[in-house]
Amino acid sequence: MEIFDYEDIQLIPNKCVINSRSEADTTVELGGRRFKIPVVPANMATVINDEIAKWLATNDYFYIMHRFAPETRRAFIETMHAAQLYASISVGVKSSEYDFIDDLAANQIVPEYITIDIAHGHADSVIAMIKHIKDVLPDSFVIAGNVATPAAVRDLENAGADATKVGVGPGKACITKVKTGFGTGGWQLAAVRWCAKAARKPIIADGGVRTNGDIAKSIRFGATMVMIGSMLAGHQESPGNILKIDGKTYKQYYGSASETQKGEHKNVEGKQMLVPYRGRLVDTLNEMQEDLQSSISYAGGRDLKAITKCDYVVVKNSIYNGD
């Protein structure tokens, strides 16, 4: 198995066949809906909130609402549906989550997307939850994760998952690899490739993306969608406090398994940090789309499929050489 990560890969250009990058189509289909770009903000409390979710859905972006205010989820779904927008939520695997799913089913409240959000998703508990959701809410598109191996992808797909989320600990705010010795940190892109080869359904690459070019690399190695945390935190609209330090502006960012999120120092696998203040979210998303359009033009095509056909080279830690 070839081991590499984002900074080790450069894609090789093909002849450009479009006159302007604006002709390139960056849209992607997931769960019967088409979205503007193959990017989803991480379902973390410092990245997504109700207002951002509503704006994203209104503007044809995919989102996954976090699961850290469980008592608000039913109202969130109802609010999104009242606005004629799709609802995309996260759940865990505790017994209370079964009660929540059953309550939705009993009241015929059907979120279009449900993400089972567990740090170690290759688990009997996740398989059981997939089966339960598919039994009582069969019309919901179920995303399950997070996983790191082809065996995990196959097991979750066979249980009924409609997509799997790949990445264990490669995120900037995640310290799983340090605390446990396990994870895909340092070889996340190779893990995406490995898992995508086994997948029959969409893969969401989650974690380790540091530049816009990494989105194209994720697509090249089999991801349908790319989940991004730190690069989509720190915006004007983002949850979290704005702090000024030495004349520079920052915002809070912390992992889902951090002490800050949990409210206690127990089973901590995330950390808190500051990210630079980035201005408006729409500007960052537009830049991501424009850069991805450029990627498509370099790939020699007109849509994302062209990127999947590119050749590549592995040149260890090559991206910033010469800077």
Side-chain angles (χ1 to χ4, degrees):
M1 178 180 169
E2 195 173 30
I3 296 298
F4 51 79
D5 211 347
Y6 288 102
E7 67 268 24
D8 305 321
I9 293 293
Q10 289 189 44
L11 304 178
I12 299 175
N14 292 319
K15 184 179 78 169
C16 181
V17 297
I18 55 179
N19 295 317
S20 166
R21 72 178 178 190
S22 63
E23 297 173 32
D25 178 8
T26 61
T27 63
V28 64
E29 188 271 332
L30 185 74
R33 283 171 181 75
R34 187 156 285 275
F35 300 104
K36 196 173 287 184
I37 54 175
V39 168
V40 55
N43 50 337
M44 301 166 70
T46 46
V47 177
I48 187 88
N49 60 18
D50 292 26
E51 292 75 24
I52 294 174
K54 192 169 186 178
W55 183 87
L56 291 168
T58 301
N59 290 280
D60 299 322
Y61 294 101
F62 186 48
Y63 77 90
I64 301 172
M65 188 60 188
H66 66 72
R67 61 180 173 88
F68 301 111
E71 69 283 354
T72 67
R73 288 180 300 191
R74 178 174 166 174
F76 172 78
I77 298 165
E78 292 174 323
T79 299
M80 296 299 281
H81 285 170
Q84 296 187 308
L85 299 169
Y86 72 90
S88 177
I89 63 165
S90 301
V91 299
V93 294
K94 293 179 180 177
S95 59
S96 58
E97 299 290 63
Y98 283 84
D99 296 337
F100 169 63
I101 294 296
D102 289 342
D103 176 66
L104 293 182
N107 289 281
Q108 297 182 315
I109 301 170
V110 184
E112 283 76 7
Y113 300 85
I114 300 177
T115 296
I116 303 171
D117 179 36
I118 301 296
H120 183 17
H122 192 194
D124 289 337
S125 58
V126 172
I127 289 169
M129 180 57 89
I130 294 169
K131 290 178 177 177
H132 185 69
I133 294 172
K134 280 301 179 182
D135 186 39
V136 302
L137 292 171
D139 293 331
S140 292
F141 185 93
V142 175
I143 300 166
N146 279 25
V147 301
T149 65
V153 171
R154 283 190 287 265
D155 284 348
L156 299 193
E157 285 187 350
N158 288 338
D162 298 297
T164 51
K165 200 142 67 77
V166 174
V168 175
K172 188 172 277 191
C174 189
I175 55 172
T176 298
K177 56 187 175 288
V178 178
K179 295 279 280 184
T180 72
F182 288 80
T184 60
W187 63 288
Q188 166 68 3
L189 188 56
V192 170
R193 179 198 196 198
W194 194 31
C195 289
K197 286 186 173 183
R200 293 171 291 117
K201 299 173 183 177
I203 289 284
I204 299 176
D206 178 14
V209 170
R210 302 286 183 262
T211 68
N212 289 353
D214 292 346
I215 300 168
K217 294 174 188 178
S218 300
I219 300 297
R220 166 60 183 84
F221 289 104
T224 295
M225 192 72 73
V226 185
M227 179 168 269
I228 295 177
S230 60
M231 286 171 57
L232 287 176
H235 290 92
Q236 179 180 310
E237 305 88 345
S238 302
N241 300 316
I242 293 179
L243 300 169
K244 281 192 178 288
I245 302 172
D246 296 333
K248 296 181 179 178
T249 308
Y250 301 88
K251 264 201 163 183
Q252 217 178 1
Y253 178 63
Y254 49 80
S256 297
S258 66
E259 183 175 357
T260 311
Q261 182 67 69
K262 287 169 170 275
E264 61 177 346
H265 191 83
K266 184 179 178 183
N267 303 126
V268 170
E269 292 183 23
K271 63 183 178 181
Q272 178 177 267
M273 64 181 66
L274 298 176
V275 294
Y277 177 70
R278 292 189 170 95
R280 297 193 314 152
L281 179 62
V282 64
D283 295 332
T284 294
L285 291 170
N286 284 340
E287 183 181 358
M288 284 180 174
Q289 181 174 17
E290 290 167 358
D291 287 351
L292 197 52
Q293 286 176 313
S294 292
S295 298
I296 291 169
S297 75
Y298 275 102
R302 301 178 183 277
D303 55 28
L304 292 174
K305 189 175 182 182
I307 297 174
T308 69
K309 309 297 183 186
C310 284
D311 286 332
Y312 66 92
V313 289
V314 181
V315 191
K316 289 292 179 182
N317 299 307
S318 64
I319 298 304
Y320 297 111
N321 285 356
D323 285 359

